[in-house]
Amino acid sequence: MKAHAARVALLAAVSAATLGLAFAQDPAPAPTPAAPAAALSDQLPVPDAPAVTGTAWLLMDYATGQVLAGENVDERVEPASITKVMTSYVIAAEMAAGKISNDDDVMMTVNAWRTGGAGTDGSYSGFEVNKTAKLLEMEKGMTVQSGNDAAIALAEHIAGSEEAFASLMNAHAARLGMKDTHFENATGLSGPEHYSTARDLATLGRALARDFPEHYAYNAIKEFTVGPITQRNRNVLLWRDKSVDGIKTGHHSGAGYCLMASAKRGDQRLISVVMGSTSESQRATDSQALLNWGFRFFETHELYTPGEPMATQKVWKGEANEIGLGVAQPLLVSMQRGQYARLQPSMDVPRTLVAPLAKGQAVGKVRVMLDGKLVAEAPLVALADVPEAGFFKRLWHELLMWWQSL
């Protein structure tokens, strides 16, 4: 009996020593990054967003995709020439895939000239009919001058017809999560099934800046010359605010005056969308007010960096006895200024981690709460491989796990 008791005591001691954190893996506080210094003004209530004249509008944080303020953000609207942001996105994607190049000769066809050229009521670039221009020049004519003729010529060059190009646009829209968008053309001219929403358009602008920054940068060009004609970019905020570097205006009788603007101040970028405004000046004034309000009262933080261990947890039946856990992508959060210190992060991981584990494998979640509301979450992943241990170690751990379950 004494020998049996001794063996039981030894097993319990070894089990406790080996187990470590295994039973401390319920939801637990995650490490909290140091809070930045807060100004007294950050403790005051955030005023409402500025009043906007338009049918729909929003302000989005670029880093997180979070909508900071908005009205009718999911209401269908005519996107007008903001459509050309998707045209740019498709061009960039096709170029990245090696299907086209900046040096391609693009023909200004009779169809493109008649549908979108100088003889129409819309904006045009001025490339000569039945002559070619380099794709890069044609794309800048579309982006800076909002040339409908250039957009159609590019669509025909890439897909054979504008209709086929619209199918590409819709495929990319679906992939980007633009759930309430459908394109009929590459220009933004009015059509019964040509529509989007303020949220979807902001999502598109964010995607172009993120995925294809070189093509996004064309939107900051203030003027562009084709032949004898020099035209200014219609986004007047490029002259008013040096932090603004995009992105696209739009206007026709059905859509009203529209503007999707983007600005970067320090490490923070915001995207504003104003649809259905009453004039060119009003859309610019409202967009500027939204951007100023967002930068003044909101901030974006990276809470946790990929690859950095947030916790170390016990691993059973593995060659290693523990594993570091962290995030695979930066965990970002947007919030009102002065609220950072009130964030409450926690981790949720299984009570038992059993090898084998692969680097990058999701094993739990980190959640960040503010005043009882979830503001961000991300998978917790293994930061290294943990192969399965040999037979005897696995057998021993099996015995220990059984003992702890009693």
Side-chain angles (χ1 to χ4, degrees):
M1 293 295 292
K2 290 182 179 180
H4 174 72
R7 284 196 297 271
V8 171
L10 177 61
L11 181 60
V14 172
S15 173
T18 307
L19 210 67
L21 295 172
F23 278 84
Q25 298 182 170
D26 292 317
T32 303
L40 180 60
S41 59
D42 290 335
Q43 300 176 26
L44 300 177
V46 173
D48 292 337
V52 174
T53 301
T55 56
W57 62 271
L58 67 70
L59 183 68
M60 175 181 285
D61 177 74
Y62 166 81
T64 63
Q66 180 178 335
V67 175
L68 305 180
E71 187 173 301
N72 301 325
V73 298
D74 295 314
E75 180 177 304
R76 287 185 180 181
V77 294
E78 293 194 62
S81 282
I82 297 179
T83 296
K84 296 184 179 83
V85 179
M86 177 55 85
T87 306
S88 293
Y89 192 94
V90 175
I91 293 169
E94 291 293 292
M95 193 173 294
K99 301 292 183 67
I100 56 174
S101 76
N102 282 329
D103 291 328
D104 283 4
D105 291 315
V106 178
M107 175 66 70
M108 178 55 67
T109 66
V110 172
N111 176 63
W113 178 76
R114 285 179 176 170
T115 307
T120 66
D121 291 332
S123 53
Y124 66 96
S125 58
F127 291 99
E128 292 187 61
V129 65
N130 283 329
K131 291 189 177 181
T132 63
K134 295 300 181 183
L135 186 146
L136 177 59
E137 297 301 297
M138 196 77 78
E139 184 178 357
K140 289 180 179 179
M142 178 193 72
T143 302
V144 181
Q145 301 171 324
S146 197
N148 292 330
D149 50 353
I152 297 168
L154 287 162
E156 292 174 339
H157 177 78
I158 291 170
S161 71
E162 191 176 9
E163 182 181 4
F165 187 83
S167 296
L168 272 177
M169 298 170 74
N170 289 321
H172 281 286
R175 184 181 59 82
L176 293 173
M178 299 170 64
K179 299 178 181 179
D180 297 301
T181 293
H182 187 267
F183 296 110
E184 284 189 347
N185 57 63
T187 61
L189 294 173
S190 186
E193 292 300 317
H194 193 89
Y195 56 82
S196 188
T197 67
R199 186 195 302 274
D200 280 1
L201 292 173
T203 298
L204 172 60
R206 180 178 180 236
L208 182 64
R210 178 193 66 222
D211 299 342
F212 304 111
E214 180 179 349
H215 292 259
Y216 172 83
Y218 300 155
N219 293 279
I221 299 173
K222 292 184 177 180
E223 62 180 31
F224 190 68
T225 300
V226 175
I229 303 174
T230 297
Q231 297 186 65
R232 287 164 60 95
N233 194 315
R234 291 169 173 78
N235 183 1
V236 298
L237 294 186
L238 294 174
W239 284 267
R240 295 183 184 178
D241 184 342
K242 64 181 180 180
S243 71
V244 173
D245 56 12
I247 182 172
K248 193 72 189 75
T249 62
H251 170 255
H252 61 62
S253 58
Y257 290 85
C258 310
L259 173 58
M260 176 159 62
S262 181
K264 185 176 182 182
R265 300 180 189 176
D267 294 330
Q268 187 178 17
R269 177 180 290 280
L270 299 177
I271 298 171
S272 64
V273 176
V274 173
M275 307 299 293
S277 189
T278 54
S279 68
E280 184 174 341
S281 61
Q282 189 64 53
R283 72 185 178 188
T285 298
D286 289 344
S287 298
Q288 182 75 78
L290 283 173
L291 292 170
N292 289 342
W293 177 81
F295 283 118
R296 171 61 186 86
F297 294 108
F298 290 84
E299 57 189 349
T300 303
H301 292 282
E302 180 178 299
L303 300 183
Y304 303 108
T305 303
E308 293 186 0
M310 295 169 53
T312 301
Q313 302 288 45
K314 172 71 183 177
V315 178
W316 293 98
K317 301 183 182 181
E319 289 184 1
N321 290 324
E322 59 185 23
I323 181 70
L325 302 180
V327 291
Q329 302 294 330
L331 181 56
L332 304 166
V333 61
S334 299
M335 73 195 80
Q336 297 177 5
R337 292 191 181 276
Q339 304 296 305
Y340 189 87
R342 296 168 56 192
L343 293 177
Q344 296 177 315
S346 65
M347 295 184 299
D348 187 2
V349 295
R351 293 179 64 85
T352 303
L353 294 180
V354 180
L357 296 172
K359 183 177 180 179
Q361 178 180 337
V363 296
K365 282 188 177 182
V366 56
R367 295 184 174 89
V368 182
M369 310 292 289
L370 178 64
D371 297 334
K373 296 181 179 179
L374 180 69
V375 294
E377 67 176 352
L380 276 174
V381 302
L383 297 181
D385 294 324
V386 181
E388 201 173 47
F391 173 76
F392 289 106
K393 185 175 183 180
R394 298 202 313 272
L395 182 62
W396 176 241
H397 278 202
E398 186 71 35
L399 178 60
L400 294 176
M401 293 169 69
W402 169 79
W403 177 260
Q404 286 295 319
S405 68
L406 297 178

